[in-house]
Amino acid sequence: MFVDEVDIHVEAGSGGRGCLAFRREKRVPRGGPSGGDGGHGGSVFAVASPHINTLINYRFHPEFTAERGGHGEGSNRTGPTGRDLDLAVPIGTLVYEKTVESEQPLRLIADLAEEGQRVLVARGGRGGFGNARFATSTNRAPRKVQPGEAGEVKDIRLELKLLADVGLVGFPNAGKSTLIAHISAARPKIADYPFTTLTPNLGVVRLDGDRSFVVADVPGLIKGAAHGAGLGHKFLRHLERTRVLIHLLEVSVEPGRTPLRDYLAIYMGAQPDVVEDDASGNPFHFSVVFHVSDPAALDPERIKRIIEEEKPAHTTYTLRVDKG
């Protein structure tokens, strides 16, 4: 099960209480105060780990508490410091703190984009002072101690954005999973019905030498995905880090659909007839690349004719057909 967004509750450990004690030893008159300080509470950290790739562990275990500090002891002994709590998250996880501000309900704490990156999420409380800390020349037997400070308590949102160099987008059954299965060792589910891919898939493409790049395949998009149609569009966050987006188009589409309409439905988020000029006043220009394994399956002249008939006003285009 792939989980890329969870809400968790974290509590740092509270500091230990200072000790009230006096030194009582044979042949040591007026030994004086000897109460030690309390130990500091443990803090909560988020750590980017290469060994996990989903946040599913936090969905069913959303509450975490670090160890509290030990209380101070006599003979000026400081209480033990509470152990820190490390929360392992996938590389590419964004850590947000929930706030009460309506304008900014989430505050970004860190973007854990590198292996081993560690960020403080909740700081542990300071240990309280024992009575030995309050001894003065005029108050040689203080009975004052401090309680430990409470650790920070926060509500956190973890949001995973996969790290990939190339992202594949397109309508359902456009061939995204088939492509990633052919060019990498990834083995996503492939079938002849829509929405076969329900979660993003990653594949590593090996080039010559030590060079390689990562390809991300996300579930198919349809018109109206921004309003919840199909599987929605929340998974598009996994394409925000990519350097290149490849839009796959199905040539032999259903009646009432054309490759151009499919392209514009996703790229522009609107019907082709509402595409407008950009802010500079220049006509909108797009490039369409078709790749077919059987040259007989595609007629470039037919595609040009479809584009001329379907393209919106004030647009120009470039068409390239790769046969191989």
Side-chain angles (χ1 to χ4, degrees):
M1 185 179 190
F2 183 82
V3 177
D4 57 4
E5 184 177 296
V6 293
D7 293 329
I8 62 175
H9 179 80
V10 298
E11 295 184 13
S14 299
R17 182 183 63 250
C19 177
L20 175 60
F22 293 92
R23 183 180 181 187
R24 299 184 183 278
E25 188 176 345
K26 187 177 181 180
R27 298 187 180 88
V28 183
R30 299 181 181 87
S34 63
D37 300 338
H40 302 311
S43 299
V44 181
F45 293 85
V47 184
S49 170
H51 304 297
I52 55 177
N53 55 13
T54 178
L55 297 170
I56 188 172
N57 292 337
Y58 299 104
R59 168 162 293 184
F60 303 106
H61 184 196
E63 297 184 357
F64 299 89
T65 304
E67 189 178 42
R68 65 165 298 143
H71 299 314
E73 300 177 5
S75 300
N76 291 311
R77 289 177 294 180
T78 301
T81 298
R83 286 177 294 183
D84 293 333
L85 177 63
D86 287 344
L87 304 179
V89 297
I91 299 174
T93 299
L94 283 80
V95 183
Y96 293 95
E97 176 187 358
K98 292 185 177 181
T99 67
V100 296
E101 301 176 7
S102 58
E103 298 180 356
Q104 188 182 12
L106 295 175
R107 181 179 66 86
L108 179 64
I109 297 177
D111 182 359
L112 304 180
E114 299 180 2
E115 179 181 344
Q117 192 173 349
R118 191 168 184 253
V119 62
L120 177 66
V121 175
R123 187 181 301 278
R126 181 182 63 84
F129 288 157
N131 67 331
R133 291 271 194 168
F134 299 98
T136 65
S137 59
T138 57
N139 184 11
R140 297 184 178 183
R143 295 182 175 274
K144 177 181 179 181
V145 296
Q146 283 183 338
E149 294 181 354
E152 292 183 334
V153 178
K154 294 182 179 180
D155 290 315
I156 301 295
R157 172 165 296 176
L158 301 177
E159 182 180 298
L160 174 61
K161 292 183 180 179
L162 297 178
L163 298 177
D165 302 300
V166 178
L168 304 180
V169 297
F171 265 66
N173 280 94
K176 301 183 296 298
S177 297
T178 302
L179 176 60
I180 197 174
H182 276 77
I183 63 178
S184 72
R187 291 295 176 264
K189 183 178 180 181
I190 300 175
D192 59 352
Y193 54 85
F195 301 112
T196 308
T197 301
L198 299 178
T199 60
N201 297 302
L202 289 179
V204 178
V205 180
R206 302 290 181 183
L207 303 177
D208 57 321
D210 297 331
R211 296 188 305 159
S212 64
F213 62 91
V214 180
V215 180
D217 165 32
V218 299
L221 290 166
I222 62 174
K223 184 178 181 297
H227 303 290
L231 296 178
H233 71 305
K234 292 185 66 175
F235 52 81
L236 289 180
R237 68 165 69 99
H238 300 294
L239 301 180
E240 292 184 10
R241 302 182 190 269
T242 59
R243 300 179 182 178
V244 177
L245 287 178
I246 296 180
H247 188 168
L248 273 69
L249 296 174
E250 174 62 41
V251 176
S252 45
V253 295
E254 303 171 357
R257 285 176 51 191
T258 65
L260 178 60
R261 285 185 178 273
D262 287 356
Y263 175 80
L264 292 177
I266 293 178
Y267 186 77
M268 300 301 296
Q271 289 284 3
D273 56 0
V274 299
V275 177
E276 298 178 355
D277 296 353
D278 63 17
S280 63
N282 298 321
F284 174 71
H285 182 91
F286 57 91
S287 298
V288 182
V289 179
F290 294 97
H291 179 86
V292 292
S293 56
D294 182 9
L298 180 65
D299 180 6
E301 295 301 323
R302 171 175 169 268
I303 296 299
K304 289 182 180 180
R305 187 168 58 254
I306 292 176
I307 292 179
E308 288 293 341
E309 294 175 354
E310 300 289 343
K311 77 179 185 70
H314 311 296
T315 61
T316 60
Y317 69 93
T318 300
L319 172 67
R320 188 174 86 246
V321 179
D322 292 337
K323 301 179 180 180

